[in-house]
Amino acid sequence: MAQTRSTCPYCGVGCGVIIDSDAGQVTGVRGDPEHPANFGRLCSKGQTLHLTAAPAVMMQVRALRPMRRAERGAPLRPVVWDAALDEVADRLASIIERDGADAVGLYLSGQLLTEDYYAFNKLAKGLIGSNNVDTNSRLCMSSAVAGYKASLGSDAVPACYDDIGLAKTVFITGSNMAWAHPVLYRRLEDARRADPAMKVIVVDPRRTETAAEADLHLQLLPGTDVVLHHAMLHLMLWEGLVDHAYIQAHTSGFDALRDRVREFSPAHAAKVCGLREADIVMAARWFASGSSSDAGRRGPTLSLWCQGLNQSSSGTDKNTTLLNLHLATGQIGQPGAGPLSLTGQPNAMGGREVGGLANLLSAHRDLANPAHRAEVAALWGLTDVPERPGKTAVEMFQAAADGEIKALWIACTNPAQSMPDQALVQRALQRCEFVVVQEAYTTAATVAFADVLLPAASWGEKEGTVTNSERRISRVRAAVPPPGQARADWQIAVDVAKRLERRLPSRRVPGSAGSMFGWADAEAVWNEHRETTRGRDLDITGLDWAGLAQPQQWPLPAGATVGAARLFGDGVFATSDGRARFHAPAWRPTAEQRDAHYPVSLTTGRWRDQWHGTTRTGTLARLQDHGGEPAVEMHPQELTRRHWAPGTLVRVKSRRGAIVLPVRPSDSVAPAQAFIAMHAPQVNQLLGSARCPQSQQPELKHSAVRIDGVSLPWQLAAAAWLPAGEALAIQQRLQPLLAACSYAHIRPIGLMGSSPEGPVGLVLHLAHTTPALAPEAVAEALGLADGAVLRYDDPRHATQRRVRVGADGRLHGFLYSGDTAAAGWLLDWLQQGQPVGGLARALLAGGALPPVARPSTGRAVCTCHGVGETAIAEVLRAAPEGNDAARLAHLQNTLACGTSCGSCLPSLKALVRQIQPVVIA
Ligand SMILES: Nc1nc2c(c(=O)[nH]1)N[C@H]1C(S)=C(S)[C@@H](COP(=O)(O)OP(=O)(O)OC[C@H]3O[C@@H](n4cnc5c(=O)[nH]c(N)nc54)[C@H](O)[C@@H]3O)O[C@H]1N2
Ligand SMILES: Nc1nc2c(c(=O)[nH]1)N[C@H]1C(S)=C(S)[C@@H](COP(=O)(O)OP(=O)(O)OC[C@H]3O[C@@H](n4cnc5c(=O)[nH]c(N)nc54)[C@H](O)[C@@H]3O)O[C@H]1N2
Ligand code: SF4
Ligand SMILES: [Mo]
């Protein structure tokens, strides 16, 4: 048994993990108690990593061998590595020779390691001679980058995680951190317990779990953040809460800002933002003077934000106007005070460090700056690096759709799902002459467009470094060898680069010898990257590979022993004159407004237990239960008004496309608004590519839509337990069949509350106007075609029903086509493992209600212990009376829910507030 320290591959909190492995297989994972990001904690996703790495799971879904397609439309067939690499190099070289270097585009990811990123960047900018390298961080962090650079002079996050425990006021905006950054949220819970006077403000158009726990929730209208920020400053000026001495000494541009915010009174802002004036006033006071009643005392105030600000057509303005508030109150660079943007992906920061965006160069250098270009050319031994700015994500796909970009190399991201304007993206991938997809999973939607698929090593299998939200660099280590023939991403880049070096004209200074890519291992790549940081704001020349055993924050220049916890504490900023800049943008509303044709404001975001395209998290039934079937969430009043029962299929239509989804009532969205999880495979057919003019980040948080009823009389619902190690493969085999349906959903399921080794199955829900496929095909795949299967067929009504009860007297599977009203309770019975004994025949009757009433499990709440809402409600109703904390403790003692990773604590607390004990008089 071996133990390997590494990091979690999901979010930007960057938790340290210890991986247990045995005989080349991952056997367990736990939080690293010594890692300063998490001190041993993991969330529901981190804690189940080892289950996703189980061989039985991986063999069904991982890309194990290089593959190529003989022609478009033909299936992918395995080839040996050398043939795949030769083909990639040959095709790229020919296209470059024929159409120039800019005919190639590289689309990368904030989930690559810094070394992977470095190798790709050098390959594109140094070898090919094109700046067409952009990443999914363009969809994620580019507004924060543009905001920091505009206001502070460099892309440097000034604060750190410890500040959460030191702040008096925490301003959380456009972030559902209870779900998206759970372990950091646990820290906030600790801080609030330790200091009950701390004030938490949450700004979000939805009442998320994060918002529901705030002292003040500002449920603003989407896209109105700039108005709110300006109004807060207006109030601060009016009440004398700004720090004039700080403004005088360390900033410039305040006069223009003061003129700008004059028109943004809290009363005016209340109307534009859809808020109460008093709430805006309260938020401004808390922000400026901390929660202290002593008006003379300031802060400390910490801001945390994420995609609600960044993914916006005014993303940079939302960022700079928030930074204005920190600068105007001097709340920056001190313990507990400062802006702390939350990075989404585990290495979004590392990508920024090596210049992994179309407008950047290594070590926070700017492509537009001739001195910076000369520095990078010198470091790489080149005559020059190309001057022409590269294409940003949306522009890159637009250029491919227009035929300008002829080859795309996509690594570690799944644009066929995650990019906005899917019609454009699909056109681009089809028109592009040559598409290389470097992927760890065959199930990613973009694989369908690959001419060559290069199998990548993934979590637990590769070496390198990542940088988390607080500028902390951690080691990523391999615990096991990659499955099949998969290789590390940087290695694949080097394998292609060395071949290209032989084909392309050299751009190196005369007399250079050897390869530009002669690295022996990840350490060698990192050493070269470290050298590029010398003298830069992120200087890490004081750090070596061995020193990385202890995660460190940058900067850590030669001579230093520890990194800087906070930046700009001395009030000297990274601008030419050392002063931070105020910005005074006018307010621009969202690119699309609600109108008579598209009367609903749609927003999109994350679920607690799923990760983006779900290639990894989607393999585990226990991570699927909390979200369940993707749906469009609407306010309950809207469902009542339209006479829609929960689960009714509706059509959501934007100016770009339409998709069908079930509707789900949710108090968290306001009337006239709707929410769809970004994990829903089709959602980005709805979203457009309007973007922030400064950062080029698309407005993935808003689109105007209409939602209408849809008539799909033919439905099919089925679920069954399947042989161990086969469910995911069967899911993939069924997938092509489902393309014929107007609506199709399929996901793995497990037995409620069972261990990870419990039974695994699949659930399907299909709908169409007429029977879209023969139910037999599905029945066969689910083991419901023959053997001890009960049947009912009514061909006149296109009705087929199958039920299988096992020798243990429990329901093992069902299929209903035609009318599927019974599917809800049948699935519940299946997942509860209910004995059905003498009721077997009644299971074919098809009613919306079960033959005997049994409580449904309700929504899954605690993933670790498999506890659903019904059981929780039962315990809370019978609980002894007491305060909320006592009743939460009683609940945890009784059901163990929320005692492991803690990701469900906000849900549990909400239920404790909602469900009071039934008092018998
Ligand atoms: N479980 C889980 N965690 C993740 C991820 C995941 O896939 N799953 N992904 C990671 C990644 S890459 C990222 S980028 C982060 C994202 O983390 P977050 O940004 O926290 O998550 P989202 O749910 O995308 O969006 C946050 C909130 O923005 C709100 N919002 C929408 N419009 C506006 C607006 O105009 N103003 C304001 N103030 N708020 C608005 C939405 O209602 C939503 O609640 O999560 C990371 N963590
Ligand atoms: N509507 C809407 N769309 C959004 C967003 C939103 O909020 N709403 N959020 C946007 C944001 S912030 C982000 S970050 C993007 C995320 O969007 P994507 O980047 O598309 O998300 P992932 O599914 O994480 O894609 C990563 C891919 O890399 C593969 N992979 C895993 N490990 C490795 C590895 O080690 N090497 C390689 N080569 N491949 C690997 C995975 O199987 C997966 O297919 O989505 C964006 N799209
Ligand atoms: S909070 Fe959860 S997903 Fe994020 S790094 Fe930590 S364990 Fe991983
Ligand atoms: Mo992201």
Side-chain angles (χ1 to χ4, degrees):
M1 203 60 159
Q3 298 189 343
T4 311
R5 298 192 120 80
S6 191
T7 56
C8 171
Y10 298 122
C11 84
V13 177
C15 296
V17 296
I18 300 176
I19 308 172
D20 295 325
S21 60
D22 199 8
Q25 285 176 14
V26 173
T27 53
V29 70
R30 67 207 132 90
D32 181 349
E34 278 158 32
H35 197 290
N38 58 319
F39 299 106
R41 281 173 169 158
L42 294 177
C43 75
S44 51
K45 297 178 297 298
Q47 216 175 38
T48 45
L49 271 167
H50 61 299
L51 303 174
T52 67
V57 171
M58 291 214 296
M59 288 307 135
Q60 300 178 75
V61 288
R62 285 292 298 270
L64 301 170
R65 289 185 292 180
M67 314 259 262
R68 71 181 295 273
R69 238 181 266 282
E71 56 185 352
R72 290 279 161 93
L76 283 166
R77 300 261 185 239
V79 284
V80 297
W81 262 113
D82 275 336
L85 295 166
D86 287 344
E87 176 166 3
V88 172
D90 284 348
R91 296 288 303 268
L92 293 182
S94 321
I95 288 171
I96 293 165
E97 278 156 16
R98 191 190 64 202
D99 300 309
D102 285 339
V104 174
L106 268 64
Y107 185 55
L108 312 176
S109 164
Q111 294 168 65
L112 289 168
L113 310 186
T114 301
E115 297 68 25
D116 301 330
Y117 248 131
Y118 188 87
F120 270 119
N121 216 39
K122 192 174 186 185
L123 187 161
K125 294 173 183 170
L127 174 62
I128 295 179
S130 167
N131 290 313
N132 282 343
V133 185
D134 214 49
T135 81
N136 60 1
S137 288
R138 186 68 62 185
L139 316 181
C140 184
M141 297 311 305
S142 56
S143 297
V145 175
Y148 280 132
K149 288 175 83 162
S151 297
L152 311 182
S154 80
D155 175 21
V157 179
C160 64
Y161 294 168
D162 281 348
D163 289 327
I164 292 175
L166 300 168
K168 279 280 171 197
T169 300
V170 179
F171 186 79
I172 303 172
T173 175
S175 150
N176 183 12
M177 66 183 294
W179 285 15
H181 298 89
V183 168
L184 217 49
Y185 194 74
R186 301 279 88 74
R187 272 210 193 181
L188 182 66
E189 289 171 344
D190 293 346
R192 295 178 86 180
R193 247 191 316 274
D195 176 10
M198 175 192 246
K199 296 293 185 205
V200 174
I201 305 165
V202 171
V203 185
D204 195 309
R206 292 190 304 139
R207 193 160 178 85
T208 58
E209 284 194 349
T210 313
E213 298 205 319
D215 297 295
L216 179 61
H217 175 203
L218 298 179
Q219 194 165 9
L220 85 182
L221 290 167
T224 59
D225 301 83
V226 167
V227 178
L228 172 66
H229 297 160
H230 280 348
M232 286 170 69
L233 186 59
H234 178 110
L235 188 280
M236 290 175 194
L237 278 164
W238 186 255
E239 297 198 345
L241 297 171
V242 299
D243 186 341
H244 287 291
Y246 190 89
I247 295 171
Q248 191 75 38
H250 303 299
T251 69
S252 65
F254 193 68
D255 291 347
L257 178 60
R258 188 176 34 213
D259 290 347
R260 168 69 73 192
V261 303
R262 200 160 283 143
E263 59 196 273
F264 288 88
S265 67
H268 167 70
K271 285 202 203 84
V272 179
C273 303
L275 295 169
R276 295 194 320 166
E277 181 183 349
D279 288 347
I280 299 176
V281 170
M282 173 106 70
R285 286 185 185 149
W286 284 353
F287 193 110
S289 30
S291 57
S292 165
S293 52
D294 169 7
R297 223 179 61 73
R298 292 181 182 284
T301 297
L302 182 72
S303 296
L304 302 166
W305 74 98
C306 204
Q307 300 314 333
L309 296 203
N310 295 346
Q311 284 171 347
S312 157
S313 56
S314 53
T316 306
D317 293 345
K318 287 182 175 190
N319 273 268
T320 56
T321 54
L322 174 59
L323 295 171
N324 283 345
L325 300 181
H326 282 278
L327 294 169
T329 54
Q331 293 293 333
I332 186 164
Q334 304 301 330
L340 173 48
S341 54
L342 299 171
T343 46
Q345 300 176 94
N347 199 30
M349 289 283 262
R352 287 145 72 169
E353 291 156 21
V354 304
L357 288 169
N359 50 326
L360 301 178
L361 286 170
S362 288
H364 287 175
R365 290 180 176 87
D366 278 317
L367 197 64
N369 182 330
H372 286 182
R373 288 201 303 278
E375 283 168 21
V376 173
L379 283 161
W380 285 346
L382 302 174
T383 50
D384 64 339
V385 287
E387 185 180 346
R388 213 160 100 95
K391 296 215 174 337
T392 63
V394 174
E395 294 166 334
M396 194 182 283
F397 283 86
Q398 181 72 57
D402 294 345
E404 192 187 325
I405 283 187
K406 304 279 200 299
L408 278 174
W409 184 350
I410 297 162
C412 203
T413 178
N414 184 22
Q417 173 162 353
S418 57
M419 285 275 296
D421 202 352
Q422 276 298 310
L424 169 78
V425 172
Q426 315 251 331
R427 251 194 343 270
L429 291 167
Q430 271 152 7
R431 171 139 193 212
C432 205
E433 261 176 53
F434 188 54
V435 178
V436 182
V437 178
Q438 185 162 320
E439 243 297 336
Y441 287 79
T442 56
T443 46
T446 312
V447 171
F449 298 91
D451 294 301
V452 175
L453 171 65
L454 304 175
S458 186
W459 177 80
E461 306 154 5
K462 52 197 274 191
E463 295 280 336
T465 60
V466 290
T467 309
N468 72 7
S469 294
E470 60 163 358
R471 288 175 279 110
R472 193 179 294 280
I473 307 168
S474 294
R475 275 297 311 277
V476 166
R477 294 188 183 83
V480 297
Q485 300 175 15
R487 287 187 187 170
D489 286 289
W490 72 267
Q491 185 69 59
I492 300 173
V494 165
D495 290 343
V496 174
K498 286 186 170 165
R499 285 166 166 81
L500 278 176
E501 272 185 317
R502 298 199 282 271
R503 290 282 307 262
L504 298 178
S506 172
R507 312 180 56 254
R508 302 175 72 185
V509 288
S512 325
S515 168
M516 287 165 66
F517 302 90
W519 305 300
D521 49 24
E523 177 180 352
V525 186
W526 184 81
N527 283 337
E528 189 176 314
H529 158 64
R530 179 185 58 179
E531 199 45 43
T532 67
T533 69
R534 190 176 294 280
R536 304 285 308 158
D537 66 329
L538 72 168
D539 193 328
I540 47 168
T541 49
L543 200 55
D544 65 12
W545 195 248
L548 276 175
Q550 189 54 32
Q552 290 286 359
Q553 286 174 284
W554 61 252
L556 201 160
T561 47
V562 288
R566 298 178 187 86
L567 303 177
F568 312 123
D570 55 1
V572 178
F573 292 88
T575 51
S576 51
D577 58 4
R579 286 173 174 271
R581 306 270 187 268
F582 283 108
H583 290 269
W587 173 61
R588 285 175 291 119
T590 51
E592 278 185 0
Q593 324 274 306
R594 301 194 297 119
D595 61 19
H597 296 289
Y598 296 95
V600 177
S601 259
L602 172 73
T603 193
T604 62
R606 273 121 188 113
W607 275 349
R608 190 189 78 191
D609 293 351
Q610 284 300 319
W611 181 260
H612 303 159
T614 77
T615 50
R616 185 185 286 276
T617 47
T619 60
L620 297 184
R622 59 158 59 192
L623 290 182
Q624 296 264 7
D625 283 340
H626 184 250
E629 188 167 344
V632 48
E633 292 182 18
M634 297 181 78
H635 192 276
Q637 278 169 13
E638 295 274 337
L639 270 73
T640 313
R641 190 166 69 77
R642 300 172 193 228
H643 307 291
W644 287 338
T648 303
L649 290 176
V650 296
R651 171 172 286 122
V652 187
K653 185 173 181 305
S654 78
R655 291 185 174 82
R656 290 153 294 274
I659 63 175
V660 174
L661 282 176
V663 66
R664 183 179 298 159
S666 166
D667 288 327
S668 68
V669 285
Q673 294 180 19
F675 173 82
I676 302 176
M678 64 154 318
H679 317 293
Q682 320 288 342
V683 67
N684 281 340
Q685 299 190 11
L686 301 174
L687 277 298
S689 52
R691 45 195 188 278
C692 168
Q694 288 108 305
S695 70
Q696 297 296 323
Q697 180 159 355
E699 187 150 75
L700 286 161
K701 282 285 172 276
H702 190 259
S703 167
V705 298
R706 58 179 303 124
I707 306 180
D708 299 301
V710 56
S711 173
L712 298 171
W714 180 81
Q715 303 223 355
L716 183 151
W721 301 129
L722 293 161
E726 287 182 26
L728 300 170
I730 294 170
Q731 178 177 355
Q732 285 178 77
R733 278 211 300 282
L734 281 168
Q735 215 85 52
L737 273 184
L738 311 187
C741 303
S742 302
Y743 173 74
H745 168 71
I746 181 167
R747 72 170 190 277
I749 50 165
L751 197 61
M752 208 52 201
S754 76
S755 68
E757 293 77 35
V760 181
L762 290 173
V763 61
L764 270 94
H765 180 190
L766 314 178
H768 201 60
T769 40
T770 52
L773 50 83
E776 286 74 26
V778 176
E780 193 147 349
L782 297 186
L784 297 168
D786 40 41
V789 174
L790 304 173
R791 299 149 192 274
Y792 169 84
D793 290 305
D794 178 0
R796 276 172 311 152
H797 297 99
T799 294
Q800 279 105 339
R801 295 177 190 157
R802 304 282 179 272
V803 166
R804 192 152 58 81
V805 176
D808 57 2
R810 292 167 208 276
L811 179 60
H812 278 206
F814 68 88
L815 179 149
Y816 263 60
S817 90
D819 169 14
T820 57
W825 61 265
L826 279 167
L827 180 62
D828 225 27
W829 282 29
L830 184 86
Q831 286 199 274
Q832 286 182 28
Q834 290 277 8
V836 292
L839 295 170
R841 286 248 140 236
L843 302 185
L844 283 178
L849 294 174
V852 291
R854 281 175 181 160
S856 97
T857 321
R859 194 173 62 95
V861 177
C862 173
T863 311
C864 303
H865 296 283
V867 182
E869 225 166 53
T870 310
I872 292 169
E874 220 166 86
V875 171
L876 285 175
R877 272 193 219 99
E881 280 181 85
N883 64 20
D884 287 359
R887 290 188 308 118
L888 176 66
H890 172 77
L891 182 64
Q892 291 181 300
N893 290 336
T894 317
L895 296 175
C897 47
T899 56
S900 185
C901 77
S903 294
C904 66
L905 281 171
S907 306
L908 295 179
K909 283 189 266 173
L911 290 167
V912 165
R913 286 192 299 269
Q914 263 163 39
I915 305 170
Q916 294 297 324
V918 178
V919 185
I920 297 156

